Amino acid sequence: MAITKAKKIEKLGQLAADLEKSTTAIVGTFAKLTVSQDFELRKVVRKAGGNYRVVKNKLAALASKGTQVEAALQGLKGVSSVAYTNGDPVDLAKGLSKWVSDNAEFTFKLAIVDGKVITVEEIKALAALPSKDELYAKLLFLIQAPAQRLATVINASGRDLAVVINQAVEQQKFGGEATA
């Protein structure tokens, strides 16, 4: 059954609204992708906080007008799909790269991150980076480490004094009887 023009306009508007909010888009192509593989791919993208759509090239170009991902969706050729997110681009790239390494039917064309078009090699490099959460954890550790070391040094003198006094008491150096 053919899709009516009204339905196409509705889908175009929905895609345009989704792309308006997204900051990252990874465009790919696939050949002989089975339904179960497509289901798994969509699950991986959702887990990474993104959305995945198989798009017609002309509709993708129209829907992306005026968005941050416009450069990636202009002039596409062949069968195309787009995974997009407004969240962490590293999570999306990691999920897709891992899935692509297991499924040769899908290949990357290009991507766009915060308005900058990146190549296939740069997508793989992006996937190798730590995620935002990992970077925040490392940053907090680096900020907290000097204060923790300072507290340890300050406490060390009191602790060392207590150890010396305890040893003196055990060896009865104070001339009195040892207390239990």
Side-chain angles (χ1 to χ4, degrees):
M1 175 182 225
I3 297 177
T4 64
K5 187 170 184 168
K7 188 72 171 171
K8 286 181 183 178
I9 292 172
E10 179 186 330
K11 284 184 177 266
L12 179 67
Q14 186 181 22
L15 181 61
D18 287 347
L19 291 176
E20 185 71 34
K21 295 181 251 172
S22 65
T23 57
T24 303
I26 299 176
V27 181
T29 186
F30 53 89
K32 300 178 185 172
L33 197 65
T34 65
V35 173
S36 63
Q37 287 173 322
D38 183 60
F39 179 76
E40 288 299 317
L41 174 59
R42 290 173 190 272
K43 198 160 79 171
V44 165
V45 171
R46 273 193 306 271
K47 187 176 179 184
N51 295 312
Y52 175 80
R53 287 213 179 162
V54 175
V55 293
K56 291 189 179 256
N57 297 332
K58 189 181 261 186
L59 291 178
L62 288 172
S64 67
K65 290 276 189 209
T67 66
Q68 289 187 357
V69 296
E70 179 178 5
L73 299 176
Q74 300 298 318
L76 294 175
K77 302 272 189 245
V79 179
S80 298
S81 64
V82 61
Y84 53 93
T85 184
N86 61 349
D88 189 7
V90 175
D91 286 341
L92 183 62
K94 277 185 181 192
L96 280 174
S97 292
K98 184 176 181 328
W99 189 86
V100 167
S101 67
D102 298 336
N103 298 282
E105 295 85 5
F106 188 90
T107 56
F108 294 122
K109 285 185 177 180
L110 60 108
I112 189 161
V113 178
D114 293 328
K116 181 180 180 278
V117 177
I118 61 175
T119 63
V120 175
E121 292 79 25
E122 291 171 321
I123 295 171
K124 292 175 183 171
L126 181 66
L129 292 175
S131 68
K132 280 185 182 178
D133 292 337
E134 292 173 32
L135 288 175
Y136 288 151
K138 288 178 181 180
L139 180 64
L140 287 175
F141 172 76
L142 291 174
I143 290 171
Q144 185 182 11
Q148 186 178 13
R149 289 185 183 130
L150 179 64
T152 302
V153 168
I154 290 172
N155 289 335
S157 60
R159 184 179 58 240
D160 292 345
L161 179 62
V163 167
V164 168
I165 291 172
N166 187 35
Q167 287 177 350
V169 169
E170 287 175 356
Q171 296 174 4
Q172 301 176 357
K173 298 281 182 173
F174 292 119
E177 292 207 18
T179 57

